[in-house]
Amino acid sequence: MVRISLTVNGRPYQGEVEPRTLLVTLLRDHLHLTGTHIGCDTSQCGACVVHLDGISVKACTVLALQADGATVTTIEGLAQEATLHPLQEGFWAEHGLQCGFCTPGMIMSAADLLQQNPDPSDEEIRHALEGNLCRCTGYENIVRAVRYAAQQMQSAQKT
Amino acid sequence: MIPSPFAFYAPSRLDEAVRLLQQYGDEAKLLAGGHSLLPTMKLRLATPAVLIDLHKISDLVGVTVGERVTIGSMTTWSALEADATLCEALPVLAATIRLIGDRQVRNRGTLGGALAHADPAADAPAVVLVLNGTLTIYGPAGIRTIAADDFFVDMLTTALAPDEILTAITLDRVGPGEGAAYLKFAHPASRYALVGVAAFLRVEAGQVSACRVAVTGAGVRAERLTNVEAMLLHQPAQPDLFARAARGAADTLEILGDLHASETYRRAMVEVYIHRALVAAAASLRAS
């Protein structure tokens, strides 16, 4: 067992892990943050996307040890108290989910995109979400949801 | 799925990593971006007893754009994509990176990891071959360099010795009068190359004065197509030349068939993509 310490959603965490522990296992089983999902287990579906030091990663393909000393943000860390993140609001307003399994990963990937590109085109949104699979929506409303969030965030900045 | 147990090291110095490789030999694997290795370990297709993570070795990260371009082996695809000077010097690399995996894969995956893994369907090897790549390798005897042409040996096998580490990749810039392109026929689900072809052309006074063409995804390893290059050299750079050079070009190539594409189909697609890559390289010629 190896001792690690990291910050998850603003809270410090210290614990011991086996080297083979995946970051997603640490989040779900040790910290009980089950919003980060495990879908394919082979780095393709994107249900487990979280931010590691501000960059989106597939938490099923990063070792918990590799997050030692890092800052991790999961879907649970996006909302400000009772106020939803514009992406969370967008997925709700634009019906960007049906079963909801892919949604946390979709939102975390989209949040990474909007940090780097606050006004993406539909093509850029689709390119940025290539690593996230959805079996329900056909993606149209997901693109709309991201566009909704981008507009909300931009108008919030102007005011 | 969880990998079988292993011991984990994250040295901050290159010589320390080599010492660990010497100490653990076949039991150890180097960890770069991990997006090939960790899934393989989760499936228990690989069960290394020791993982040596290279992320803390800062010497392995960075880009230098000079007469040639040098990229540290642990530089991620995303870092390369975000480097405007690099993308201007090598538009073909920037375009290729957009085709690799997805955003999260590119946030972790590295050029050096992709080359050292030598997946037969990886994109980067073909591009490194046509950009006349030189690979810098560090091992117990110090530093050596090797041409990309000599690096890819077989499926998942390179010229790296078990105790050596790929540290940097040096590529030719695409200069005036030169153009390069990489096109792939991507598997619709995995996005790996069913067939990928990279082409580099230099055209002087309307004639091809230098060229390199390489294929990936078709056989056990990425390789140069010297027969195509010989057809092109010193010929007028016109569309019919590219069609002629592609025709029959895959006849003598060793091609693998699998459940995604038969050998015959792949062979046909190699020729289609040679043609398209040459046309695209010619269309991207930079003003001289």
Side-chain angles (χ1 to χ4, degrees):
Chain A
M1 300 291 270
V2 183
R3 198 154 184 82
I4 56 169
S5 61
L6 57 155
T7 305
V8 181
N9 298 334
R11 291 196 198 96
Y13 169 81
Q14 287 196 338
E16 288 196 337
V17 293
E18 266 192 279
R20 62 174 169 166
T21 307
L22 304 168
L23 177 57
V24 71
T25 313
L26 175 78
L27 294 171
R28 287 178 58 86
D29 296 0
H30 299 218
L31 283 88
H32 309 296
L33 294 169
T34 52
T36 303
H37 294 162
I38 297 174
C40 68
D41 238 340
T42 49
S43 329
Q44 286 164 319
C45 79
C48 66
V49 171
V50 300
H51 294 186
L52 180 61
D53 285 333
I55 293 171
S56 61
V57 301
K58 292 183 171 174
C60 77
T61 314
V62 176
L63 299 171
L65 279 180
Q66 294 183 295
D68 187 23
T71 298
V72 173
T73 307
T74 71
I75 188 71
E76 289 92 341
L78 271 197
Q80 301 288 330
E81 311 247 315
T83 311
L84 291 179
H85 185 280
L87 275 163
Q88 293 171 308
E89 197 187 298
F91 272 69
W92 178 22
E94 297 291 339
H95 200 62
L97 64 136
Q98 288 174 32
C99 86
F101 193 86
C102 72
T103 313
M106 284 284 178
I107 288 180
M108 296 313 287
S109 290
D112 186 13
L113 167 70
L114 295 182
Q115 274 173 28
Q116 290 179 37
N117 181 356
D119 186 23
S121 67
D122 283 8
E123 194 274 332
E124 286 169 330
I125 294 171
R126 287 177 187 276
H127 181 62
L129 296 179
E130 255 182 345
N132 295 80
L133 303 183
C134 172
R135 304 302 301 268
C136 305
T137 62
Y139 301 98
E140 293 293 333
N141 288 353
I142 291 175
V143 175
R144 285 192 192 108
V146 177
R147 209 164 48 207
Y148 173 101
Q151 282 159 0
Q152 296 288 316
M153 288 162 80
Q154 284 205 303
S155 56
Q157 269 200 336
K158 279 177 199 146
T159 54
Chain B
M1 290 184 293
I2 298 170
S4 61
F6 53 83
F8 181 85
Y9 295 92
S12 53
R13 291 166 49 115
L14 202 50
D15 54 357
E16 222 177 307
V18 167
R19 205 161 49 242
L20 288 163
L21 281 175
Q22 287 181 294
Q23 184 179 343
Y24 291 107
D26 283 351
E27 302 211 306
K29 284 291 276 181
L30 294 173
L31 179 63
H35 279 58
S36 296
L37 180 58
L38 292 176
T40 315
M41 288 171 62
K42 289 200 284 178
L43 295 166
R44 309 278 173 123
L45 295 171
T47 53
V50 175
L51 269 196
I52 304 166
D53 185 1
L54 299 178
H55 278 95
K56 292 198 174 149
I57 307 178
S58 51
D59 295 350
L60 298 180
V61 178
V63 177
T64 316
V65 178
E67 259 181 54
R68 300 184 81 200
V69 173
T70 297
I71 298 170
S73 59
M74 283 294 287
T75 315
T76 62
W77 299 118
S78 292
L80 298 176
E81 216 177 353
D83 189 318
T85 314
L86 172 72
C87 293
E88 157 56 26
L90 283 175
V92 61
L93 187 63
T96 301
I97 292 170
R98 285 179 59 82
L99 303 176
I100 295 172
D102 56 53
R103 189 183 182 91
Q104 288 71 40
V105 170
R106 294 191 293 273
N107 281 344
R108 296 294 288 177
T110 64
L111 173 60
L115 299 181
H117 182 54
D119 189 301
D123 303 300
V127 176
V128 169
L129 283 169
V130 302
L131 295 177
N132 195 28
T134 310
L135 310 187
T136 305
I137 291 168
Y138 181 83
I143 293 168
R144 70 177 176 115
T145 58
I146 181 171
D149 284 341
D150 301 322
F151 184 73
F152 303 104
V153 176
D154 203 341
M155 187 176 285
L156 306 176
T157 308
T158 68
L160 283 168
D163 53 6
E164 287 184 322
I165 298 172
L166 174 60
T167 60
I169 299 92
T170 303
L171 304 169
D172 284 355
R173 298 175 66 142
V174 177
E178 298 175 345
Y182 171 74
L183 295 181
K184 77 164 161 178
F185 180 18
H187 183 277
S190 73
R191 319 306 285 177
Y192 271 106
L194 284 173
V195 165
V197 175
F200 164 86
L201 292 174
R202 184 189 304 139
V203 177
E204 288 172 284
Q207 286 205 339
V208 177
S209 61
C211 62
R212 280 185 293 274
V213 183
V215 64
T216 186
V220 293
R221 64 188 178 106
E223 60 182 314
R224 291 268 296 274
L225 297 170
T226 48
N227 56 333
V228 177
E229 296 171 4
M231 291 269 296
L232 295 167
L233 204 57
H234 308 308
Q235 300 299 310
Q238 285 165 358
D240 68 310
L241 171 68
F242 302 140
R244 265 188 291 125
R247 207 171 299 136
D251 284 354
T252 54
L253 209 58
E254 261 189 66
I255 288 181
L256 296 177
D258 57 25
L259 78 166
H260 304 303
S262 69
E263 186 192 326
T264 314
Y265 183 65
R266 264 209 178 83
R267 201 175 293 284
M269 287 304 106
V270 169
E271 295 187 10
V272 168
Y273 276 80
I274 291 171
H275 183 213
R276 289 184 188 174
L278 288 170
V279 170
S284 76
L285 287 183
R286 302 188 135 185
S288 43

